[in-house]
Amino acid sequence: MLAKTGGLYRVSCGGNVLEATLRGRFRQRGRDRVLVGDRVILGQHPDGGATIEEVATRSSVLKRCKPGRHKGVRQVAANIDQVIVVGAACAPDWNNHLMDRFIAVAAANGLSVTVVINKCDLCDTADDLALPYRSAGYPVVLTSIPNAQELTELGSRLEGRVSLLTGPSGVGKSSLLNALQPGLRLRTSEVGEKSGGGRHTTVAAEMYPFGAKGFVVDTPGLSDIGLWGLDPREVAGAFPDLGRFASECRFDDCRHLEEPNCAVIAAVGSGQLAASRLESYRHLLEEAIEAARPWQ
C-alpha cells in the first residue's frame, strides 16, 4: 500500500497504481489496520472498483511514540528493510540529540540504519559530524544536491530495497528523493529565516517506487518522537558504540550514569567515545524510565 487519502488506499499492482477501499470487516480493527508498506490482497469488482481483502503478515513495523500527554504507540509503516536518517550539516543546524533519537527509534524497532549528512556544500563540518556515527558502526553517506556525483552512493543503497527516510524537518529529505528520481516532484520548502528550522512539507507517510525494484517511504519531519514501550534496560542496545565498552564496567547492571569504574564514562574521558552519544543515551534512558512508570 502506497498511501491513504481519506477512505481511499493507493496500491501498486503490476506496475500500475490502483485506488481501493477497505472491505467492511476491516473497518472495525482500529486506525492501524492497513499501513503504508503493507502487502495486500485485492478483490476486483465488475464495475472496476477494488477492495483490500487481506493484509499479508508483516516482516517489520516501525512504531513511534504519540506526542503529548496521552501515552500510546503509533505504527508508521510496515515491511521496511532499512531506515535512512537524514540530517543537515547546516541550515538547519545539526542536532546531535535529535539525530540520535531517530537512530535509536529505528534500532529499537530492529531496523538497520544508514546516516545521511546532507547540504555538505554549505559548510565544511560534515566529516566531523560523521565521526561518532562511523565509530558506532553506522554507514554514513555525505550528500550535496548540487553535486550529482555525491548522490550516487545513496541511490545505490536505496535500489532494490524498501527504505524509510526520516529526520528533522528542513534537512532536504524530499529534495534528495527528487534529485535521485526526477519526476517524483515531492513538495519542498526553504528553512525558516527566523527560527532556523525546517517547515513540515510531508504531511503523512507515503511510499513511492524507486528505480526498478525499490521503494522509498517519505515521512513527515517528526519533532517529537519517543521510545514508548522500550524497557529502560534495552535503551543501551540502541547505542552499539556504548556496548563495546559496557562489558568492562565494574557492575553488570551499570547504567553509565555515576557508577564507579564505569568503562563507558572512562571511554568518553579518553576520547574513545563521543560525549554527545553518552549524553543522548542518558536523555533517552531517563525518558524510558519515566514512560515505564505507572499512571498515578
Side-chain angles (χ1 to χ4, degrees), residues 45 62 66 77 101 112 131 144 175 194 225-226 230 267 273 288:
H45 300 284
L62 180 66
K66 293 179 182 178
R101 181 179 292 270
S112 64
L131 184 58
S144 169
S175 296
K194 292 183 179 180
I225 60 175
L230 188 68
L273 177 67

Side-chain angles (χ1 to χ4, degrees), residues 37 39 78-83 157-164 207 213-217:
R39 301 181 181 95
N79 302 312
I80 302 299
D81 294 323
Q82 62 177 344
V83 175
R157 288 182 176 274
L158 299 177
E159 186 64 48
R161 308 182 73 184
V162 179
S163 308
L164 184 141
M207 176 179 276
K213 298 181 180 179
F215 288 89
V216 292
V217 180

